[in-house]
Amino acid sequence: PPPQTFSPRPAPQIDYNSITGVEDQNIILFAQLVQNLKTAPVEKKLNITNDQALKHLFVSINQIKPKIEFQLKKEVANLEKYQDLYSKTFAVTKIYDEILQLRLAQSQQTYRQYPQ
Amino acid sequence: TERELAELVTLLDNSFNVEVLLSKLIDLKTRVASQPISSQEFESILIRDQIPGKLDQLSQTRETLRQILDLYKLKVLELQSMQKNVDASVELYHQLLREAKNSQPLPSP
């Protein structure tokens, strides 16, 4: 039997700009914490500058922001690409109808020129 | 949603190319408009470019595209909502920080 050859498998594509589940959870957690602080008693509100957990979350949120912008741009571009393709399916039908109309007009003209 | 979208895009990729079909039809229309061609020649062009079969598949392709568009619209809405949530939370955090700093007692002289 021929010697077995092993070709390297392509590495799975990792999208480093995709938003992970943890990042998604961090966004929700940060939103909830700041929303809770808004209605919290004054002494708790004043302690915000010492809240290290919230500070860490804020840093993480700032790192996620460019990812969201990137993903949004990417998905809007995809949406526009498929919208363009969708409208082209209607252009196909329209142009085919126009071709048939042209053929019909040409046949009628030929018939008028050379009847029977 | 991601898997469903990937399946639909694969389905679309395995179908005929809409842009190529459109380009062929535009060429055919230009040819028919510029000089009359015989029925035999017209039919042979249609058969050569598999146009009738592709036109039959067109409604299915359109439906696949409609489903893809719905999913992309959903993804865009989700991301826009996420962006709004982040912007509003960050703004509120800055506001609370400002309020806390302004409320701090002045250092005694």
Side-chain angles (χ1 to χ4, degrees):
Chain A
Q4 278 190 316
T5 53
F6 295 97
S7 54
R9 278 189 188 178
Q13 294 261 317
I14 300 167
D15 185 357
Y16 291 102
N17 276 306
S18 69
I19 296 145
T20 64
V22 174
E23 288 170 331
D24 198 19
Q25 289 299 311
N26 280 349
I27 292 170
I28 296 166
L29 185 62
F30 182 71
Q32 276 174 350
L33 288 174
V34 288
Q35 214 34 255
N36 290 347
L37 268 178
K38 193 183 170 186
T39 51
V42 180
E43 59 273 21
K44 202 172 176 189
K45 263 189 189 177
L46 292 178
N47 201 32
I48 188 172
T49 46
N50 302 321
D51 192 332
Q52 291 305 311
L54 199 58
K55 215 175 264 182
H56 283 306
L57 266 177
F58 175 66
V59 172
S60 147
I61 296 297
N62 272 331
Q63 286 165 351
I64 302 168
K65 272 178 85 172
K67 278 187 172 189
I68 300 174
E69 276 168 34
F70 177 86
Q71 287 294 331
L72 193 55
K73 265 187 195 165
K74 193 178 103 177
E75 301 306 2
V76 167
N78 276 329
L79 181 65
E80 285 171 355
K81 180 182 113 179
Y82 287 108
Q83 269 171 340
D84 180 54
L85 208 54
Y86 188 64
S87 54
K88 278 176 180 162
T89 64
F90 292 95
V92 162
T93 315
K94 185 174 168 276
I95 290 176
Y96 187 67
D97 284 347
E98 285 169 0
I99 292 169
L100 296 182
Q101 290 292 331
L102 268 171
R103 293 282 304 156
L104 183 67
Q106 285 169 355
S107 304
Q108 285 170 342
Q109 197 180 4
T110 310
Y111 181 76
R112 276 197 294 272
Q113 279 174 346
Y114 311 102
Q116 297 291 315
Chain B
T1 307
E2 284 294 334
R3 211 183 70 188
E4 201 182 338
L5 186 60
E7 281 172 6
L8 286 166
V9 170
T10 306
L11 187 68
L12 187 73
D13 290 346
N14 291 339
S15 176
F16 66 91
N17 188 318
V18 175
E19 282 167 331
V20 170
L21 176 63
L22 182 60
S23 160
K24 282 181 175 172
L25 285 172
I26 290 169
D27 290 346
L28 181 59
K29 190 190 161 194
T30 311
R31 194 164 167 194
V32 170
S34 62
Q35 56 183 62
I37 57 173
S38 68
S39 295
Q40 200 179 3
E41 196 182 351
F42 182 69
E43 277 171 25
S44 73
I45 293 170
L46 292 184
I47 291 164
R48 185 198 64 200
D49 292 337
Q50 300 172 321
I51 290 171
K54 287 172 185 169
L55 288 172
D56 282 346
Q57 285 179 51
L58 197 64
S59 61
Q60 178 56 51
T61 303
R62 202 174 279 159
E63 175 57 24
T64 306
L65 273 165
R66 203 186 52 74
Q67 289 176 26
I68 289 173
L69 284 173
D70 284 348
L71 290 175
Y72 270 117
K73 279 177 196 165
L74 198 66
K75 283 182 90 172
V76 167
L77 279 175
E78 275 175 2
L79 284 164
Q80 281 172 337
S81 159
M82 195 184 273
Q83 195 177 42
K84 262 188 187 172
N85 197 9
V86 165
D87 288 345
S89 309
V90 167
E91 174 56 33
L92 183 56
Y93 181 64
H94 283 311
Q95 189 192 319
L96 290 168
L97 277 176
R98 274 196 304 270
E99 281 173 16
K101 276 176 188 164
N102 290 340
S103 304
Q104 273 173 2
L106 291 170
S108 52

